[in-house]
Amino acid sequence: MIEMKGSALSGDSTSAKIEDWYTRHAHSVYRRALQILGREAEAREVLQDVFVSLLENPSQFEGRSSPLTWLYSATTHRCLNRLRNEKNRARLLDYDADSLPLPNAGCSPESLLELRAKLSTLPEEVALAAVYFHLDRLSYDEIAEQLQCSRRKVANLLAWLNRGRELENER
Amino acid sequence: MKPWSGPSRSSEGAECFSDLKFDRWLAGELNEQAERVLSRHLQTCARCQRRADELRGFQAHARQSLPGFRQLAPAIQGRTPSHAARSWKWWLASPIALAAAAAALAVLGPTALFRSRPAAVSEQEQTVGGETRIKGGTRLSFYVKRKNEVFEGVERQELHPGDAIQFRLHGPRPGYVAVLSLDGAARVSSYYPPEGGSMMPSSEDGLLPQSTVLDPVLGPELFAGIWCERPVEIEILRTQVAKLEGDRLDYPGCSSDLIHVEKTRGGTSE
């Protein structure tokens, strides 16, 4: 738990801790938002959202995970919310190959675009698992830590994702 | 329907590392043993070596291009949890550009230095007694330059004499814009256009081309961003602002957005 006294702005040690997180992890938050959303301006807004939200309400981090794990989760949730927003989705899916500045660990831009299009239609937990598995290349154990669930559940979520793919292929 | 092949992980071995593990490594958060295991693996795995290089390169690039943490904190100062959150987009510039821009402001006067995407707007038209009333669709925001800091102002923002402020005003479509203010003594002033001027055509990015240095008068103030389909005499708009009731200006063919601020003594800006 981040200990703080008074408001978020008056708690020097809280602000200092969050600043330390920013220094260490802003690049990760930004990179992942850019991978999921595909646009720099959107990714920068998510980066801002995550840290300003934390400054305003430090108690949302309860210390049950590492800061980086929490930041991964907060970033993913915000990105998925943006993808689900109808007004944003058309713009974010208007893909321009040259606008993606970041290679994605063996994931082709076309596959990434397809994944991004599907994320907004998947149930929340399946979408989270899909991001962690396909974009972040997390192991089942790491995904279980992110989702705070069992390894078995992770397997079920990814199986659900694959079954959805199979059903589509059969049509 | 086209089958979804999905991103492939077939190139990975059982010992390959995730981006999360690499991020921990880059942040210096792996213990000694984990660091040794990762370093040994990097010596033998081309895939992970390549990924580690990519992430390290991106980290270096991000450190140059992302704003510093200090630019976050001013965005929420003066805001209480009870107020609805307003947009607080960053001034998206590198530290070098920030310093250059501050210097340019000092020499050339305030100019348009901010980049952000236009806010989404929605508009409703309503015909009342043969006149078209426009509700919504107008969005006012403002930026504050205080010493060498630049930040976006928020509802109930505390401002100080000497602060330079610049407005951004988006209307529902191309039209004419003005920004007036109503102070605690019920005096109406025109921020834009300058006193004696007329409503000006709106611009695509909404940024108004001049800024104003705040005078020493303290107390509450209401900024009224006004958009109209056709130019309206500023004196008519002054009268409307002076008798404002509720949260918007009610004049045919116009819509508005209001922001309350508080001018306090604070420190002096130079």
Side-chain angles (χ1 to χ4, degrees):
Chain A
M1 172 82 75
I2 295 181
E3 296 293 332
M4 63 156 207
K5 295 185 172 41
S7 70
L9 293 175
S10 64
D12 285 345
S13 63
T14 300
S15 184
K17 282 179 186 172
I18 296 172
E19 180 172 5
D20 180 60
W21 291 13
Y22 185 87
T23 302
R24 289 167 181 269
H25 302 307
H27 68 97
S28 305
V29 172
Y30 174 59
R31 184 194 75 239
R32 294 188 66 250
L34 189 57
Q35 284 179 309
I36 297 169
L37 298 174
R39 288 182 182 266
E40 279 196 59
E42 302 275 347
R44 284 170 183 255
E45 287 184 7
V46 167
L47 172 62
Q48 180 178 328
D49 284 354
V50 167
F51 279 93
V52 173
S53 168
L54 199 52
L55 279 169
E56 289 191 305
N57 183 18
S59 61
Q60 63 186 297
F61 174 71
E62 295 176 349
R64 283 186 278 171
S65 64
S66 73
L68 187 57
T69 298
W70 185 89
L71 289 170
Y72 260 54
S73 174
T75 305
T76 312
H77 276 103
R78 278 175 165 75
C79 289
L80 291 179
N81 286 342
R82 282 181 179 241
L83 284 174
R84 289 198 186 95
N85 182 305
E86 282 291 337
K87 287 178 194 170
N88 284 333
R89 201 172 349 146
R91 183 181 67 252
L92 289 168
L93 295 183
D94 181 16
Y95 172 66
D96 174 1
D98 293 336
S99 73
L100 193 67
L102 176 68
N104 286 281
C107 172
S108 70
E110 291 73 25
S111 293
L112 185 58
L113 182 61
E114 280 185 277
L115 177 61
R116 197 180 294 141
K118 289 193 179 299
L119 286 175
S120 58
T121 65
L122 296 171
E124 173 89 358
E125 282 188 314
V126 177
L128 290 168
V131 168
Y132 294 138
F133 187 75
H134 287 295
L135 287 187
D136 297 312
R137 306 300 177 115
L138 266 56
S139 65
Y140 278 32
D141 285 333
E142 286 173 325
I143 297 174
E145 185 187 351
Q146 286 292 140
L147 298 180
Q148 298 186 356
C149 67
S150 66
R151 207 169 177 278
R152 184 184 183 84
K153 177 149 187 197
V154 172
N156 289 341
L157 291 171
L158 293 173
W160 192 103
L161 184 66
N162 287 336
R163 273 201 302 279
R165 231 192 299 171
E166 287 164 8
L167 288 172
E168 280 185 10
N169 292 348
E170 286 168 10
R171 289 197 195 121
Chain B
M1 169 148 336
K2 183 176 138 188
W4 175 45
S5 55
S8 168
R9 292 185 63 167
S10 60
S11 63
E12 291 176 30
E15 295 171 355
C16 286
F17 291 97
S18 65
D19 282 2
L20 176 62
K21 190 60 71 75
F22 282 127
D23 279 336
R24 288 208 170 108
W25 173 60
L26 289 170
E29 292 180 358
L30 294 183
N31 62 33
E32 246 183 73
Q33 183 186 4
E35 175 118 19
R36 266 201 304 273
V37 169
L38 189 145
S39 297
R40 259 202 310 270
H41 179 75
L42 287 180
Q43 289 170 9
T44 58
C45 178
R47 181 238 167 228
C48 285
Q49 180 62 59
R50 190 170 55 248
R51 187 57 178 166
D53 289 343
E54 287 168 352
L55 295 181
R56 245 195 311 244
F58 189 85
Q59 180 191 41
H61 163 75
R63 281 189 171 152
Q64 292 292 315
S65 65
L66 293 179
F69 180 78
R70 296 291 165 182
Q71 288 168 268
L72 276 176
I76 60 174
Q77 279 178 10
R79 191 164 73 179
T80 63
S82 61
H83 293 294
R86 290 184 67 94
S87 167
W88 27 254
K89 291 182 177 53
W90 265 328
W91 176 41
L92 300 176
S94 70
I96 294 171
L98 174 63
L105 272 173
V107 171
L108 301 172
T111 56
L113 297 170
F114 310 98
R115 291 188 291 125
S116 75
R117 62 183 176 84
V121 293
S122 61
E123 174 193 2
Q124 295 173 348
E125 284 193 4
Q126 185 183 28
T127 301
V128 178
E131 290 175 332
T132 300
R133 307 283 182 176
I134 298 173
K135 290 167 59 176
T138 293
R139 181 80 165 82
L140 177 68
S141 55
F142 69 102
Y143 303 90
V144 183
K145 180 181 178 290
R146 179 180 296 162
K147 295 183 182 176
N148 285 331
E149 272 187 347
V150 178
F151 57 91
E152 182 164 352
V154 296
E155 177 75 5
R156 306 291 173 188
Q157 179 72 52
E158 278 192 15
L159 298 173
H160 305 154
D163 284 346
I165 56 174
Q166 185 172 4
F167 293 96
R168 185 188 293 272
L169 182 53
H170 282 291
R173 50 187 182 276
Y176 294 83
V177 295
V179 178
L180 305 184
S181 78
L182 179 68
D183 67 16
R187 283 187 300 256
V188 179
S189 309
S190 177
Y191 276 94
Y192 183 80
E195 295 288 353
S198 308
M199 289 193 91
M200 301 298 287
S202 56
S203 64
E204 194 175 348
D205 69 355
L207 197 61
L208 303 186
Q210 66 187 66
S211 68
T212 303
V213 177
L214 298 181
D215 62 25
V217 175
L218 304 180
E221 194 167 341
L222 174 68
F223 294 148
I226 305 168
W227 171 92
C228 300
E229 291 176 304
R230 287 174 288 278
V232 173
E233 291 289 321
I234 292 295
E235 286 309 313
I236 293 174
L237 295 179
R238 278 182 187 273
T239 308
Q240 296 298 314
V241 169
K243 62 176 186 179
L244 263 172
E245 288 178 14
D247 62 353
R248 67 175 187 275
L249 187 132
D250 193 17
Y251 190 78
C254 297
S255 66
S256 65
D257 188 23
L258 309 178
I259 301 178
H260 297 82
V261 298
E262 183 79 27
K263 280 172 68 183
T264 62
R265 203 169 303 279
T268 53
S269 291
E270 309 202 288

